[in-house]
Amino acid sequence: MSAVIDTHDQDHHHGPAKGYITRWLFTTNHKDIGSMYLIFSFAMFLLGGTMAMVIRAELFQPGLQIVEPEFFNQMTTMHGLIMVFGAVMPAFVGLANWMLPLMIGAPDMALPRMNNWSFWLLPCAFLILVSTLFMEGGAPNFGWTFYAPLSTTYGPPSTTFFIFAVHIMGVSSIMGAINVIATILNMRAPGMTLMKMPLFVWTWLITAFLLIAVMPVLAGVVTMMLMDINFGTSFFDAAGGGDPVLFQHVFWFFGHPEVYIMILPAFGAVSHIIPAFSRKPLFGYASMVYAVGAIALLSFVVWAHHMFTVGMPIAGQLFFMYATMLIAVPTGVKVFNWVATMFRGSLSFETPMLFAVAFVILFTIGGFSGLMLAIAPADFQYHDTYFVVAHFHYVLVPGAIFGIFASAYFWLPKWTGHMYDETLGKTHFWLSFIGMNLAFFPMHFLGLAGMPRRIPDYALQFADFNMVSSVGAFMFGATQILFLWIVVKCVRGGKKAEANPWDGAEGLEWTIPSPAPYHTFSTPPVVK
Amino acid sequence: MSTNHQTYYVPEQSKWPIIATVGMGLTFYGLASIMVNNSAGESTTGAWITFGIGGLIMVYMLFGWFGNVIQESREGLYSPQMDRSFRWGMSWFIFSEIMFFAAFFGALFYARTFAIPWLGGEGDRGSSQMLWEGFTASWPLLNNPDPEAYPAPKGVINAWGLPLLNTILLVTSSFTVTVAHHALKKNDRRKVKLWLGATILLALVFLFFQAEEYVEAYSELDLTLASGIYGSTFFMLTGFHGAHVILGTLMLVIMFIRIQKGHFTADNHFGFEATSWYWHFVDVVWLGLFVFVYII
Amino acid sequence: MHVHAKRASVFMGACLASNQALGDWTLNMAPGVTGSSNEIFDLHMTILWICVVIGIAVFAVMFWSIFAHRKSKGYKPAHFHENTVVEVLWTIIPFVILVVMAIPATATLVDMYDSSESDIDIKVTGYQWKWKYDYLNEEFGYFSNMKTSQDEIYNRIQKNEHYLLDVDNPMVIPVGKKVRFLLTANDVIHSWWVPAFGVKKDAIPGFINETWTRVDEPGIYRGQCTELCGRNHAYMPVVVKAVPEEEYNEWVAEQQASAERERELTEKDWSLEELMERGEQAYQTACAACHQADGSGMPPAFPALKGSQMVLEDVQAHLDVVVNGVPGSAMQAFGDQLSEVDLAAVITYERNAWGNDTGEVVTPKQVFDYKNEE
Ligand code: HEA
Ligand code: HEA
Ligand code: CUA
Ligand SMILES: [Cu+2]
């Protein structure tokens, strides 16, 4: 795709600032900020995961044993919110911060100070969000989708704090996305035309566009909630001419693109990893780019597939059903491309590749259940059951999370200058793989047998699979501690990594030494 | 796109972002506390103090941060490439603002085309009339499904009075700011000040009339935030627009001060340009409002 | 920990000899007992199989590479990429498959949306956390509460076979007739679901949603609320009894008669004991979910009634709260939900139970008057 001729001198800048505070609080360096994003995201993953463990422990058997229903609902809500906004999105922004400038040959992000602000707003937002757990009346308990009027008229007092936390997250995401777009459009090394950009860059360009388009809509809908709660408006109250379903339309106009925000960067990363370990170029670069574009555009016109049971007119049902089904086509193009890339390559299975291959297989399974959900009449049976929970954990856990793990292992040598422990990495993979499937596959059966989601207690016929699922979840959860250990170990030492530790990997990021110097590409390389 | 790649300016460590974070956190936390304490009937003093401190920090930060940027720019540290980064940044920021308003316009259209007719007993969900006897759909909504919970307004603002005047004011101000911009490109300082001053004046008059209109709505028409979906959408759309006009006016004022100080050159004046883009955006949103909120 | 032991043994047992507990390990959707649910089931199976086949094809190619084209086996990579024919094919073929899926899906949907020409209309209203069924043509209606006891929920006694899926008054409908449901809600959004009918529709406050069913076989069908509606979302089951037509008619007549009897009861003179007895029952079904069986509530969300100022003193205020509710809080207006007798009984009960020994009696007549003077 891209090759470099210019050598680049990277030493007329100095290294990181000395003091802890000056270095991390005041930094404008994309690598520092990237690392902070990644660390923050992992902390949130542990926190959100711990909440999932509470959920799974309560659901281990029927009856109420560990928590009361209102606390359970808070756990479900916070788990969803923290995983989506705290774990997955920041992890991708962290990867973007680290890798985009390296991949396009830029000295840093386009707007470095704003970059720092985008990051620090996140801990601030999550401080407010998590503090609601300790407020009178408890944390938000209405699901991460916070449907009105449960979240407005009937919400706990902390809802107002939740709304402002969402506003801050929105500001952070929008600024982050603006930065990404400005960087990609304006900072590429000479010669790197759009159609020569690495796929991770492409997917992030489109993700950033999605973010800028939908985060303000989320801000808009929570603002309407805020006014309904505190200023007597009636957007979501029929008594004043509003409609609770209006909330859902606006929310999902944000919500559906949001789920692609959580997968497109992973698509990009996997599109680097699979060719690298297949030692064979990506099968169809151009069609991959177009497919991502098509997915992004379609994602704006499918939102109501989350609302098939609200009683839309049939024309609406049909439109949203057809549009949703169409997304299978470009996504299929991507899956087929990955498979075709592997086909007749020279494959080896280091940890990043293991995660990437599992990503393709398990994401596809999640995609299939998505397609089943898209069939409106069948969704009447699936909707709000564990079938949906199974679907989205299949696209999110082995999708987004495995994508992030794969990227982390792939680029860790570049970040730290050391190789991670391959045996431990493989152990992490296999335990995660087994635990994850054990946890989430039975949820398909539960959903089909009729178990509703968001319940702390269930009828007896669901007991067996719930127990299996909980066991799998504990296993998956415990395994993540191993990942923490692997990363810490790799940061602290290990086999020295070469500039390009993977014989099949290509791209500008592999032309600089490992670990990447504090300042890179101060003079842009020239790409042929 | 190959110009001047060599000198992209990457700023050193900066304290502003973290100050901005603290400021924003306190402001929002304070705001939320004010609202929550208010509805719980508790004292809001502490909350106001938090809010105030946060606000002051934000103001301090804005001056400091922009001050830094202006200084760097005037020291000639910025390349044309940097200029492009700012342009992309501002354009996409405005796009995000457009989407913010799009959500509100969407709510308005939804209420008018779906919710209210349904409540009035029409369409696929027609049996709704079971629930709201005596409610008939209309727009502007002068009777609410439950008049006790949401007393309806007595009347609506006439589009051809103040709103029309305001439309003329705002459209004119878009012209004047453009004239000022052209003058700046020709480096005609006197003319810039004249036309920029005129723009600010028009903006202030607009805001004055807008306030007047609100007073009229509340005191004479009983049109309030709580008078059903008509009042809700009316005040939300015009209110957020108004807030943006205030912000835009502040930006214009700062540009005026900077011109006064002799900032900007004929070919390097992005701050001014961004402000005028923003102003045009505010203007376009108003045109949407005028048509969809006041006229139809 | 009884259940724990039982479940653990089932789990272990199932692992060792998997035929032992097969009944519980349901893997798939059930076809159900209505035309719609059967159509949905067929649709579900069709799409599932299409996905399985595509999956097998895709993964087969992939696993072939994984096993055959390994570096460790010394396999040399090919270098092909981009092939327009292949790329067009793998765009068009999935598209065609989707069209094939969309056709039966559309047909089913159109069927399900046709709620015209119904024989019976039932208005279904969701409350936090129970259902109300109003038979519009017969002019009577009643509430349907979950019957499972708190003791079962908190694992103090053995769980019943229909744990969480049992109600005091199920909906009753005749088989073979087209029944139309008009769904709405009183507070938040709920969703009314009976899997065996293939019917799931949201009940939205302020709006009415329509759906319908025609059940082929008599039986008792169970479902649950499927939209998160607050604390007791897990505890608002739906139970529908489908009976032959004659039985249905008898049941309707009985309902109308008992509504009449209820009216007469209002006139009767009630003693404190009678009211307490009836009140306790009504309290357990209607109030205990929030205020707890022993009146201790769950402050700050749900106030304690035991020792409450209002309950001990001001009768008028007590009546007002129970009859009209507290707007904007979870405390609903029970005036329309309970009969005069039950309201009187429950209020009397609250004023005399758990050491609230006021000795006061609130009679059905008093409640009746209170409601009518408003
Ligand atoms: C990363 C996140 C992610 C991704 C990528 C997806 C992808 C898809 N999702 Fe999913 N979805 C969620 C996250 C995601 N979803 C979440 C979080 C929810 C629940 C929200 C909540 O309520 O809390 C949800 C819920 C959800 C619903 C609502 C269910 C309900 O509540 O009733 C629906 C319905 O249509 C749906 C559909 C789809 C479809 C069609 C895709 C498609 O993009 C999938 C496309 C992929 C494939 C189809 C596989 C590969 C393709 C081939 C191999 C080609 C050939 C295939 C065929 C021709 C069949 N999703
Ligand atoms: C990216 C998003 C993401 C991710 C990664 C996950 C990860 C997990 N999720 Fe989550 N989930 C959602 C997004 C996500 N989820 C969303 C959006 C919802 C919907 C919310 C709603 O309904 O509103 C949901 C809902 C949801 C439910 C349904 C709740 C309900 O309906 O009531 C369940 C139930 O099992 C569940 C389980 C899990 C588990 C076991 C994991 C595991 O993968 C987590 C594993 C990670 C860890 C465990 C952390 C690491 C370990 C430690 C910190 C040490 C402690 C370990 C032990 C004690 C063993 N999730
Ligand atoms: Cu009612 Cu859930
Ligand atoms: Cu979706």
Side-chain angles (χ1 to χ4, degrees), chain A residues 312 344 347 382-384 457, chain C residues 44 71 113 163 200 226:
Chain A
M312 263 184 293
R344 295 186 48 215
L347 277 59
Y382 309 136
H383 178 66
D384 265 344
D457 191 3
Chain C
H44 161 74
K71 185 177 176 225
Y113 256 68
Y163 178 66
K200 179 187 290 153
T226 47

Side-chain angles (χ1 to χ4, degrees), chain A residues 7 51 54 108 131 201 219 226 244 271 308 324 376 450 510 520:
Chain A
T7 39
M51 292 172 175
V54 175
D108 205 302
S131 74
V201 181
L226 185 76
S271 304
F308 281 142
T324 306
W510 304 114
T520 34

Side-chain angles (χ1 to χ4, degrees), chain A residues 144-145 147 252 256 259-260 262-263 267 305-306 308 324-325 327-329 331-333 335-336 363-364 366-371 373-375 379 382-384 388 391-392 395-396 400 453-454, chain C residues 50-51 54 58 94-95 97-98 101:
Chain A
W144 85 284
T145 52
Y147 283 5
W252 286 115
H256 188 82
V259 307
Y260 291 113
M262 291 190 284
I263 201 70
F267 283 177
H305 65 218
H306 297 272
F308 281 142
T324 306
M325 291 169 74
I327 296 191
V329 174
T331 318
V333 167
V335 171
F336 300 141
F363 171 80
T364 303
F368 284 150
S369 59
L371 194 74
L373 291 167
I375 309 292
D379 185 65
Y382 309 136
H383 178 66
D384 265 344
V388 178
H391 156 65
F392 68 74
V395 281
L396 283 168
R453 59 191 281 209
R454 296 168 167 167
Chain C
I50 292 177
C51 287
I54 298 176
V58 175
F95 183 77
I97 297 176
L98 291 174
M101 289 179 182

Side-chain angles (χ1 to χ4, degrees), chain C residues 161-232:
Chain C
E161 171 192 11
H162 297 304
Y163 178 66
L164 299 189
L165 296 180
D166 217 3
V167 296
D168 51 0
N169 304 304
M171 172 190 277
V172 178
I173 58 171
V175 292
K177 294 276 182 196
K178 184 163 183 175
V179 183
R180 184 166 70 133
F181 303 112
L182 301 160
L183 294 124
T184 185
N186 182 54
D187 31 51
V188 301
I189 303 179
H190 303 265
S191 189
W192 196 80
W193 184 31
V194 182
F197 299 172
V199 168
K200 179 187 290 153
K201 202 100 190 192
D202 291 359
I204 296 166
F207 291 83
I208 296 254
N209 267 334
E210 285 183 25
T211 183
W212 64 275
T213 193
R214 178 180 280 133
V215 182
D216 301 332
E217 293 163 36
I220 295 179
Y221 302 105
R222 293 169 202 277
Q224 279 177 275
C225 173
T226 47
E227 182 65 60
L228 178 60
C229 51
R231 178 180 199 275
N232 287 353

Side-chain angles (χ1 to χ4, degrees), chain B residues 112 138-144 152-163 213-214 216-218 220-224 227-235 292-296:
Chain B
R112 294 181 53 171
S138 66
W139 190 268
L141 194 61
L142 291 177
N143 66 328
N144 284 322
K154 284 204 286 257
V156 298
I157 305 274
N158 175 14
W160 307 111
L162 281 182
E213 186 180 295
Y214 276 19
E216 185 190 324
Y218 263 81
E220 283 164 36
L221 298 171
D222 283 344
L223 178 61
T224 69
S227 55
I229 191 74
Y230 180 76
S232 305
T233 48
F234 174 82
F235 283 107
F292 293 111
V293 176
Y294 292 101
I295 302 185
I296 340 184

Side-chain angles (χ1 to χ4, degrees), chain A residues 333 336, chain C residues 83-96:
Chain A
V333 167
F336 300 141
Chain C
N83 179 323
T84 316
V85 179
V86 177
E87 291 180 61
V88 167
L89 275 183
W90 73 33
T91 312
I92 298 214
I93 294 175
F95 183 77
V96 172

